[in-house]
Amino acid sequence: MLRIIMDFISASSPSKLPVIGVLVDASTYKHLLYLLMALPLGFAYSALFSILVVGIALTVIGIGVLILLAALFITRGIARFERWLANQLLDVELDTYDDVATDTDSTFGDLTKYLEAASTWRGVGFLSMKFFIAVFALIPLFVLANGLSLLVAPLRYPYTARLGEVNDEPVRWSIETFPEALLAGLIGAVGILIMFHLANLSAYITRHMATALLGVEMSTVDGKTTSRT
């Protein structure tokens, strides 16, 4: 009987409500935080990707090899951070790939084992795509900024809301009356709701990218955590 009651409470949780449930779902706010962090990180990773390209271009004169190797080792470290970030904010449990050889007996062998590991190049692939996640993040963050401005309109009218630019000309909405302020507040609330769904969509896509490229998905069997290959 207690189990039935607990199942009912869980099923009737506000976070399970269609459309508006995202407003009270804790994972939504973790996804939003991931988007906020993706914006600067994605653009930073694009600079690292440029270094990789420069290293490849300069391999003909030798120095490019050192640049390329340094960039690849930095990429492995960043991929480790991204795996941790995904585990914290994207509702996944990923462990490191076990694909780096351990039976090397020379300095050169210790170096090449990382170049031969598929996880190195998977990390490169993920970081190169993280830039596009950062670009996508601009959309919900733009909606959030304007939605918050309109949401509080009933508390601060009359005022003029700036809603972006078109052809280098600012788009403004002069809110003078209470009905206009209520309409603006409603539009702001809908915009924020849409933003939350966009954040969850971005997290859904990124979660699958991380599962494919950043590590081995973990599962719990009989109280023990195991890797799923």
Side-chain angles (χ1 to χ4, degrees):
M1 184 65 181
L2 179 60
R3 179 63 178 274
I4 295 176
I5 295 175
M6 294 300 295
D7 289 343
F8 175 78
I9 293 175
S10 176
S12 60
S13 172
S15 64
K16 304 296 184 181
L17 293 174
V19 183
I20 63 173
V22 294
L23 296 173
V24 293
D25 190 347
S27 63
T28 298
Y29 296 91
K30 292 195 296 183
H31 299 163
L32 179 59
L33 177 58
Y34 187 90
L35 268 190
L36 289 170
M37 297 179 66
L39 195 56
L41 289 175
F43 285 96
Y45 297 161
S46 67
L48 176 62
F49 192 72
S50 299
I51 295 174
L52 280 170
V53 174
V54 171
I56 294 173
L58 296 179
T59 51
V60 293
I61 60 174
I63 187 66
V65 175
L66 296 178
I67 296 175
L68 179 60
L69 290 175
L72 287 176
F73 277 101
I74 293 173
T75 297
R76 285 189 64 88
I78 294 176
R80 188 179 300 114
F81 165 74
E82 282 290 335
R83 182 169 54 250
W84 173 84
L85 195 63
N87 285 341
Q88 301 301 314
L89 301 178
L90 294 182
D91 305 318
V92 294
E93 294 184 7
L94 301 177
D95 196 9
T96 57
Y97 288 114
D98 185 19
D99 64 347
V100 178
T102 57
D103 55 348
T104 58
D105 54 5
S106 66
T107 302
F108 187 72
D110 289 338
L111 183 63
T112 57
K113 67 182 182 181
Y114 292 105
L115 297 179
E116 295 171 353
S119 57
T120 298
W121 304 102
R122 284 171 173 164
V124 172
F126 181 86
L127 297 188
S128 64
M129 289 189 289
K130 188 68 179 278
F131 173 77
F132 297 101
I133 299 173
V135 173
F136 177 81
L138 292 172
I139 300 174
L141 294 180
F142 173 81
V143 174
L144 175 63
N146 287 284
L148 289 174
S149 175
L150 294 176
L151 183 64
V152 298
L155 303 178
R156 56 185 298 192
Y157 81 97
Y159 89 107
T160 300
R162 181 167 177 168
L163 305 177
E165 294 184 357
V166 175
N167 297 325
D168 295 328
E169 292 292 331
V171 177
R172 296 187 175 91
W173 181 8
S174 296
I175 302 171
E176 305 290 343
T177 65
F178 184 65
E180 282 183 318
L182 286 178
L183 177 61
L186 177 61
I187 294 174
V190 172
I192 291 174
L193 185 61
I194 292 173
M195 181 275 304
F196 281 145
H197 283 285
L198 288 175
N200 285 339
L201 173 62
S202 175
Y204 172 80
I205 296 172
T206 310
R207 180 165 56 247
H208 285 280
M209 287 171 46
T211 301
L213 298 173
L214 289 181
V216 180
E217 192 172 7
M218 306 293 291
S219 63
T220 302
V221 180
D222 295 331
K224 296 180 180 180
T225 301
T226 58
S227 299
R228 287 193 295 180
T229 57

